[in-house]
Amino acid sequence: MKLQLKLFCLLFFSFIVTGNIYSSKVRGIWVPDPQYTNVLKSYKNIKEFVSQLDSLNFNAIFVVSYASNKTLYPSKVLLKNSNYKHIDSTCFLSPFMKTYNIPLKSLTGDPVKDLINEAHKHNIKVFFWFEFGFMADIKLATPENNPILAKHPDWQAIGNNGEPANYNQHDYYLNSFHPKVQKYMIDLIMESIKKYPDIDGIQGDDRLPAACINSGYDLFTIKMYKKEHNGATPPLNFNDSAWVNWRLGILNNFAEKLYKKVKAKNPDMIVSFAPNPYPWSLFNLMQEWPQWVSKGNCDVLAVQCYRNDSISYANTVKVSQDFIEMPENKKILFTPGVLLMVNGQISDATQIEKQLETNRKLNTDGEIFFYNEGLKDEKIKKIISKFYKTKSNFPIIYP
């Protein structure tokens, strides 16, 4: 009864203040790892970055927490599951820590804590973005050149040609169907939540959960398939519908397990996914995100609607909306990804303006920009200021 009364009060208060409990919009920005941005390399940079976001009326930061086989913080989970010799070796911020407090001294000495603390001072939420997810590397990943496969060579995803699996000749994956690989990812995520309990949410993207469409031909997955199919082997045609559906079931179950694990740890923790547009995501990376949404295993859906022109962007957003089927008694926020940077170059400001106009016409729940370096462009900042005229709290997520 007390919980129902509390929820009613929250709903009533939100309605009185805004006129609509879902009128707030997500205004997010992705922050990649340090090879692409200097945000986390000094306390001064963090303060200036958060101050800029505050002045532009943003309300969410999605900071990369796992990329290039390293984490945002020293990770015991990664150390245990790799051939790294020291815990500092697991952290991609380690090379910058000797100069982190120059010229401005941090009270914590921890860039992650500082980012969270500074953001929260300005009512900006911070999400850990697990960019790499199930992907092993952007180049051929083998036990000889990959720190995780060096420790667990049996975790390698294998294609129907018997070679390391990839779908585009440069993204190579761990075996997403292996229970130990899945446990590793969940352990990594839960470690981050435990280490930084003030974090507001976590996010998987086009690599979590995901698997190359031609993968599943490793010895472990074949054995698992045989056990469930009276000794029959998987078809060599990786597009065989029954074979696809069997593998999709494993990944969809992972999405549900991850969601429940995070919520069990902290019911207020927001779970977000940023997959590719559907059905491309299904045919290439086995991401059946409409199922995650309909089952209620997602709070914020940030489909990467990355397009360089406004017409194709609008079409991508519309198609994505068509595939969204909300579960009963739950509102899932749809916040399409907008490209501020394309191959290291800042996007055309006119196209950004048109894409934001599209989001208003189609009544999306906001947007998330990829990525923060685009905010250095004065034209981009002017357009964002036009659309983000006043402060807006991050929307309340209701169960």
Side-chain angles (χ1 to χ4, degrees), residues 36-91:
Y36 302 107
T37 181
N38 292 325
V39 165
L40 294 168
K41 292 180 182 178
S42 77
Y43 182 44
K44 179 176 181 290
N45 290 355
I46 289 173
K47 287 181 72 69
E48 290 178 350
F49 172 63
V50 173
S51 178
Q52 180 189 42
L53 294 187
D54 180 51
S55 68
L56 292 172
N57 295 323
F58 277 83
N59 58 26
I61 300 169
F62 295 78
V63 60
V64 67
S65 53
Y66 181 56
S68 302
N69 299 303
K70 294 203 172 187
T71 45
L72 185 60
Y73 52 87
S75 168
K76 292 181 181 178
V77 172
L78 180 52
L79 183 68
K80 177 182 176 182
N81 289 283
S82 67
N83 69 346
Y84 292 127
K85 301 301 181 184
H86 306 285
I87 192 167
D88 284 349
S89 300
T90 66
C91 178

Side-chain angles (χ1 to χ4, degrees), residues 141-165:
T142 67
E144 290 73 33
N145 66 10
N146 183 277
I148 297 171
L149 291 175
K151 185 70 174 283
H152 301 288
D154 58 319
W155 286 11
Q156 188 159 49
I158 300 297
N160 61 334
N161 59 358
E163 300 295 327

Side-chain angles (χ1 to χ4, degrees), residues 195-222:
K195 191 173 180 67
Y196 299 98
D198 292 336
I199 197 73
D200 297 289
I202 62 99
Q203 185 182 73
D205 66 358
D206 53 332
R207 298 156 180 162
L208 184 72
C212 306
I213 187 65
N214 65 332
S215 64
Y217 295 90
D218 59 281
L219 293 177
F220 180 89
T221 307
I222 290 174

